[in-house]
Amino acid sequence: MDAAAVMARRLEETLRLQGGVILATAAIVRRNTYLGRGILGQNGSYASPGADARGYVPVERWIMSACEAENPVRLAGEGLTRLQLGGGESCGL
C-alpha cells in the first residue's frame, strides 16, 4: 500500500472513531514587520517574552492553511495546518 493510501485509511479511521470530526492544530504565524495587541499572545513588543529566537512575535492565526509563511527568516512548517489523527499522529492538508 502506498503512502497516500495509508494516510487515507488513517483519516477514514479517525473520522469513524471521532464521529466524523477531525481536529486541526492552530497555525500561528510570527512576524517582525508589525506588532499585535496581545490577542494571540505576548506580541506588543519585539522584546516581549512571546518573541521567538528570530525576534518575531505571534500576530496571525491561519485557518486550514496549506501555504507556508514567507518571512525574511523562515521557520520550516510555519503557517501550515496539521490534522490530528488517532494515536497521536498528524498529517498535513
Side-chain angles (χ1 to χ4, degrees), residues 34-88:
Y34 64 96
L35 296 171
R37 296 182 300 157
I39 296 169
L40 292 180
Q42 296 178 335
N43 59 14
S45 163
Y46 296 116
S48 74
D52 66 9
R54 302 172 294 174
Y56 289 22
V57 293
V59 291
E60 299 172 9
R61 177 177 284 146
W62 292 6
I63 300 170
M64 300 307 284
S65 170
C67 299
E68 200 167 68
E70 292 186 10
N71 279 316
V73 179
R74 291 190 177 199
L75 183 62
E78 185 174 29
L80 297 176
T81 297
R82 305 277 309 164
L83 301 177
Q84 299 301 301
L85 305 177

